[in-house]
Amino acid sequence: MNPKQSSIPSPYRSLRKLFEENIHVNHISEELVSFEASGKMDEIKEYMEQTGFDVVGLKEEGKVVGYLERGRDAAVRFQPSNLVSESTPLIHLLYLFEDIDRIFILERNEVTRLVTLADLQKPPVRMLLFGIISLMEMHLLHVVKHVYQDASWREKISAERLRHAEHLYELRKERNEEITLLDCLQLSDKKTLIVKKRELLANLGFSSRAEAERFFNKLERLRNNLAHSQELTGGGSFRDIIQTVRQCELVLEACEQMHSE
């Protein structure tokens, strides 16, 4: 997602390529309803109130050149920063919302559609986020296994969390799965084990235990919201989510570097 990060692990590059080649902005965009700017502005505003539209396009001589926001009187001209082509991959779109609330889509040099922050709740975005988090959990498990090569990790988590892992381990063994007890740890358990290793925090790019805990707490909250089909922004904002995804990339890269050493 961040073009400057070229050393992201190959599983992530594969996931990224999947979304770059197959999932584009129009998988979550909506049609932009537009009116002639020379028309009666009061009627346009009334339409927006009746339909609940926050934005409509404004045309000059049949071409959409700007938009009107509900509750505003003045039209706004399009800027290059809020225009993308219809072929823009969804995975590239995400970071654009760090600074703006809506993005307009160019189809054959005509603005015809838009994406807003609310559209980031849609299934394609959820698929992307869930894939990133799943990959993160896989890498964190490798890190934990590398650092805790004996049974010392058992003393680092609570008795309740250990019993939960042991229960899951027994259930999965009954299904003849080839696993270890460590494979049955949840994200919160991996966080606990990682934040208790100061040298590991530094290797993963965290400046302090507090920073790591904040990141993992946000990651776990996002994962839970995704898993239970809840609002993604529950307890936060879309900007928080985007920042969490950005930090995920950094941690994934650090994990890959640790594996290659």
Side-chain angles (χ1 to χ4, degrees):
M1 296 169 69
N2 186 337
K4 294 181 180 180
Q5 297 172 1
S6 59
S7 57
I8 294 173
S10 55
Y12 186 81
R13 289 201 303 270
S14 297
L15 177 68
R16 193 170 189 268
K17 184 178 180 181
L18 172 67
F19 277 87
E20 284 179 335
E21 295 181 350
N22 297 284
I23 311 294
H24 300 149
V25 295
N26 277 351
H27 285 94
I28 65 169
S29 67
E30 298 286 346
E31 180 183 359
L32 177 65
V33 176
S34 300
F35 300 87
E36 282 291 338
S38 59
K40 294 181 179 180
M41 197 61 67
D42 288 341
E43 293 181 1
I44 297 174
K45 292 178 181 179
E46 183 179 354
Y47 174 85
M48 296 176 71
E49 290 296 332
Q50 291 176 348
T51 60
F53 285 2
D54 291 325
V55 175
V56 295
L58 294 177
K59 301 177 182 178
E60 290 182 359
E61 299 180 353
K63 184 174 182 179
V64 182
V65 296
Y67 61 94
L68 178 69
E69 295 180 90
R70 184 161 55 157
R72 301 290 182 90
D73 294 323
V76 181
R77 290 271 176 172
F78 293 128
Q79 300 296 322
S81 60
N82 58 15
L83 291 173
V84 300
S85 74
E86 60 183 311
S87 61
T88 301
L90 180 61
I91 200 167
H92 292 173
L93 183 74
L94 192 60
Y95 286 149
L96 298 180
F97 279 100
E98 283 188 298
D99 302 312
I100 55 180
D101 294 332
R102 60 182 63 89
I103 294 171
F104 297 90
I105 314 302
L106 280 166
E107 295 181 312
R108 299 183 180 89
N109 293 321
E110 293 284 343
V111 178
T112 59
R113 306 179 71 82
L114 81 160
V115 179
T116 67
L117 283 172
D119 293 314
L120 300 184
Q121 297 276 3
K122 293 180 177 178
V125 179
R126 289 174 174 268
M127 290 167 55
L128 169 62
L129 296 177
F130 198 81
I132 292 172
I133 293 174
S134 297
L135 187 60
M136 170 69 75
E137 291 205 61
M138 179 188 74
H139 276 287
L140 293 178
L141 178 60
H142 289 320
V143 169
V144 168
K145 285 184 174 180
H146 176 73
V147 174
Y148 294 92
Q149 297 184 6
D150 53 24
S152 63
W153 65 269
R154 292 171 178 257
E155 303 171 357
K156 306 292 184 181
I157 64 175
S158 69
E160 180 181 358
R161 296 304 308 163
L162 181 58
R163 285 195 299 270
H164 183 276
E166 290 172 338
H167 175 68
L168 182 59
Y169 178 58
E170 294 301 325
L171 291 177
R172 294 176 67 177
K173 278 204 307 182
E174 291 176 2
R175 298 196 294 265
N176 294 319
E177 296 183 23
E178 293 292 333
I179 60 169
T180 67
L181 183 57
L182 275 172
D183 291 306
C184 299
L185 296 179
Q186 303 299 301
L187 179 57
S188 60
D189 304 318
K190 297 167 190 172
K191 175 195 74 173
T192 299
L193 294 174
I194 288 172
V195 300
K196 291 186 176 181
K197 290 283 188 178
R198 182 175 300 178
E199 68 279 9
L200 185 54
L201 291 178
N203 290 338
L204 292 179
F206 297 110
S207 60
S208 66
R209 176 171 176 168
E211 181 193 0
E213 289 184 338
R214 284 194 298 270
F215 165 71
F216 285 118
N217 288 340
K218 289 181 179 180
L219 188 67
E220 187 173 10
R221 183 166 58 244
L222 177 58
R223 195 276 312 272
N224 291 342
N225 288 339
L226 286 165
H228 299 296
S229 300
Q230 303 295 318
E231 289 283 327
L232 295 182
T233 54
S237 68
F238 276 116
R239 267 80 190 209
D240 290 332
I241 291 173
I242 294 169
Q243 290 169 8
T244 299
V245 173
R246 186 183 291 280
Q247 192 161 12
C248 274
E249 286 201 279
L250 297 175
V251 176
L252 282 167
E253 183 176 9
C255 287
E256 178 68 9
Q257 292 174 350
M258 290 176 62
H259 297 163
S260 63
E261 292 177 355

